[in-house]
Amino acid sequence: MAENFTVDATLDVRGESCPYPELYTLEAIEKLEDGKILEVIADCPQSFINVPASCKRHGHEVLSKVKDGTTLYYYIRVCK
Amino acid sequence: MRIWLEKAHEKYFSGFWNPFIVLLLAGVFAAFYFGLTGTLWAVTGEFTRWGGNLLQLFGVDTADWAYFKAIKLIGEPQDRTDGWLVIGMLLGSLFSALASKNFKWKVPRQKRRWVWGFIGGIIAGFGTRLAMGCNLAAFFTGLPQFSLHAWFFIAGTAIGTYFGVKLAVLPIFKGKPKISFSRHAAKSTQPDPQHGNYQLYAAVLVLLFIALIAAWYLISGKIMLGLAALFGAAFGILIQRGQICFTSGLRDLWLTGRGTLGKAIIVGMAIQTAGTAIFIFKGEAPVIHWASPGALVGGVLFGIGIVIAGGCETGWMYRITEGQVQFFAVGAGNIVGATLLAYGWDHWGIFDVFVKGWPEVNIVTSFGWGGALFGTGAFLLALYLLIVWRENWYTKKINAKRTLFEKKTSA
């Protein structure tokens, strides 16, 4: 599931609730160049649906999700 | 047995349920709840009564408040069907959050979330009661009653959430993300399936508790209270499993152009309308409220409030059972806002300005069954098309941005 890749930036949205996990993720992606990998750490269940859906919609690639208890780690490759 | 249980758990509680199926079920349950009890799946009327009960605890005499007379403030929460419906929803949602191991105490990192949660909650609570119902009784379960006030409220909420989104992206509301640009390896730990198993035991306890309450009331002859607790639990499980957030359904349409939840809500209302039509046709009295400017203005206030707060009345209920503590502030705000409206209803003349003289329009008696069914269907279809249009508009926006970027980089 989790391959070995290097993360370029980490966005920690634990404790945040909608719509901010999603908004912050899209804004963080804006700051990154093509091909960079963003790690998003989230614990709001609603964001488990919204964040990957919005990333895909904007054409970025969700590489993997790692679930650790009630926290999710997303790895998103920026595609510009 | 054990393997069967594990399989069922994996199937129903590892991911979330499809919102279309959840809202279809919610629509069917809501129609039957109306058919069996004659009341609606609703919550904010009860929150207002909680405000009244709290004031009574502090010795305030609320006997002459006109609003409390209108919404029948009698007894305490445990004596009322609406009271058990709300408690049932909280317990059902808690069961669902625990069963899916989604429970975790979550404290907002930014203090502003508490402040906006409370203020947004007050605005939303005030607005819903001005309109005589929230995203349930003036929206999801209100429209299928063929009460015109729900049309006004839905229009108001659409407008309000649009402006709410304009506010929510401002720095004072948005705050700052916690982001770092240090390179490191991705997390590769495999999840431990045993982790959080205590939540499953707690879930079983909650489920037993719901069963006990329902059994107690059904056996002691207070069937309505038992039914309310059971239906409440079913609604609670559904909204948590489907993450049914009406705020998200409307807000995300304006903010990120996602309309899945909005469409699912419309499908749920359509199926429910078919159900309530049968019950009303068979003689059940529909719940109709004033089709007044109050319903429209209340909808706008509600829309703004829920976006600022991050959750509507049903949204904060399932979120506190997932341990998101900032939503206690939203819930408290709702009760304060609703109670303020109840006070202002006659004391500040709110009723005279917004509601007095406006009729309670029952679309069935005004336009006949044909007109009511056709009109409601057309209204739902118009909402559906609005969502599709907005989704397409947003997709075009994304594509245009990408083409612009490609041109820039190739040049």
Side-chain angles (χ1 to χ4, degrees):
Chain A
M1 175 173 169
E3 302 140 59
N4 288 325
F5 45 77
T6 309
V7 174
D8 297 290
T10 300
L11 174 70
D12 184 351
V13 291
R14 278 176 288 189
E16 294 285 354
S17 63
C18 299
Y20 298 108
E22 190 181 354
L23 272 191
Y24 285 167
T25 303
L26 292 178
E27 284 182 358
I29 286 173
E30 286 289 307
K31 290 182 191 150
L32 293 169
E33 291 159 27
D34 184 35
K36 298 276 183 190
I37 292 170
L38 173 70
E39 176 185 56
V40 180
I41 312 174
D43 60 6
C44 165
Q46 181 105 41
S47 72
F48 300 169
I49 302 171
N50 292 351
V51 170
S54 228
C55 288
K56 279 179 202 156
R57 182 119 195 258
H58 282 80
H60 309 294
E61 195 186 343
V62 181
L63 296 172
S64 76
K65 294 179 207 174
V66 178
K67 192 166 197 261
D68 182 9
T70 50
T71 307
L72 265 185
Y73 292 74
Y74 292 102
Y75 296 95
I76 299 150
R77 192 202 303 275
V78 177
C79 303
K80 283 185 176 168
Chain B
M1 175 75 183
R2 193 184 162 83
I3 289 176
W4 180 82
L5 262 180
E6 273 174 8
K7 268 193 182 157
H9 183 264
E10 170 69 23
K11 187 171 178 197
Y12 295 110
F13 289 98
S14 61
F16 295 112
W17 298 355
N18 181 321
F20 282 93
I21 293 171
V22 168
L23 280 153
L24 234 131
L25 286 173
V28 171
F29 279 123
F32 275 102
Y33 184 66
F34 167 67
L36 288 168
T37 67
T39 63
L40 301 188
W41 175 23
V43 291
T44 47
E46 183 59 19
F47 294 159
T48 322
R49 296 188 200 109
W50 288 6
N53 283 141
L54 270 173
L55 290 174
Q56 288 166 353
L57 273 183
F58 288 98
V60 179
D61 181 15
T62 57
D64 65 332
W65 292 27
Y67 199 85
F68 285 142
K69 283 181 197 158
I71 61 165
K72 299 187 183 66
L73 172 58
I74 303 163
E76 285 168 12
Q78 71 275 14
D79 310 320
R80 301 186 285 253
T81 50
D82 284 353
W84 278 110
L85 190 69
V86 170
I87 300 167
M89 276 175 76
L90 289 170
L91 289 173
S93 170
L94 180 62
F95 159 75
S96 177
L98 289 168
S100 54
K101 299 186 192 174
N102 279 146
F103 184 86
K104 181 193 170 193
W105 290 114
K106 284 167 272 229
V107 182
R109 190 174 46 79
Q110 306 185 72
K111 293 202 174 52
R112 72 182 80 223
R113 298 278 179 257
W114 292 98
V115 178
W116 291 127
F118 188 62
I119 293 175
I122 292 178
I123 300 171
F126 190 91
T128 62
R129 294 325 300 169
L130 178 58
M132 303 302 291
C134 63
N135 53 308
L136 295 174
F139 201 124
F140 189 73
T141 55
L143 191 83
Q145 294 293 316
F146 304 102
S147 177
L148 187 64
H149 91 294
W151 295 43
F152 294 177
F153 185 80
I154 292 171
T157 308
I159 298 166
T161 46
Y162 177 81
F163 287 107
V165 164
K166 300 275 171 220
L167 291 175
V169 295
L170 298 177
I172 189 167
F173 289 93
K174 195 165 74 176
K176 285 196 183 69
K178 187 177 168 189
I179 184 163
S180 69
F181 292 93
S182 61
R183 286 171 63 85
H184 64 92
K187 200 175 171 65
S188 62
T189 46
Q190 283 304 314
D192 169 14
Q194 296 299 312
H195 182 91
N197 269 359
Y198 70 93
Q199 294 204 14
L200 297 182
Y201 297 115
V204 173
L205 285 180
V206 174
L207 197 62
L208 280 175
F209 188 55
I210 298 169
L212 273 177
I213 293 168
W216 164 260
Y217 281 119
L218 293 178
I219 290 166
S220 62
K222 293 179 180 168
I223 292 166
M224 288 299 171
L225 297 183
L227 277 180
L230 277 181
F231 271 91
F235 290 134
I237 291 170
L238 286 174
I239 56 174
Q240 201 281 335
R241 287 292 70 217
Q243 296 283 302
I244 303 306
C245 173
F246 283 69
T247 312
S248 162
L250 290 149
R251 176 197 61 211
D252 294 347
L253 202 56
W254 306 127
L255 189 64
T256 51
R258 267 187 305 103
T260 316
L261 203 49
K263 287 180 189 165
I265 291 170
I266 291 171
V267 169
M269 288 200 283
I271 189 93
Q272 192 193 157
T273 303
T276 52
I278 295 169
F279 285 115
I280 295 169
F281 189 75
K282 287 199 170 265
E284 192 76 68
V287 179
I288 309 290
H289 290 295
W290 295 288
S292 69
L296 184 72
V297 174
V300 174
L301 288 175
F302 174 72
I304 295 173
I306 57 175
V307 176
I308 293 175
C312 56
E313 337 304 84
T314 44
W316 73 255
M317 288 176 74
Y318 82 74
R319 286 199 179 88
I320 58 172
T321 68
E322 292 170 347
Q324 305 193 49
V325 292
Q326 81 181 72
F327 286 94
F328 281 109
V330 181
N334 274 171
I335 295 173
V336 170
T339 312
L340 270 176
L341 183 273
Y343 181 78
W345 193 248
D346 41 359
H347 296 83
W348 299 334
I350 291 174
F351 173 75
D352 292 342
V353 174
F354 288 103
V355 183
K356 198 176 179 181
W358 292 87
E360 294 179 331
V361 179
N362 177 341
I363 302 173
V364 175
T365 49
S366 302
F367 298 96
W369 274 109
L373 289 171
F374 179 78
T376 305
F379 184 66
L380 288 174
L381 184 67
L383 291 177
Y384 198 92
L385 292 176
L386 182 75
I387 295 175
V388 172
W389 166 77
R390 183 71 195 177
E391 279 183 329
N392 291 341
W393 179 87
Y394 195 82
T395 309
K396 266 187 206 149
K397 200 176 113 178
I398 297 174
N399 292 341
K401 206 170 151 190
R402 292 184 76 83
T403 346
L404 193 74
F405 189 83
E406 275 157 22
K407 269 185 199 156
K408 245 193 232 166
T409 42
S410 57

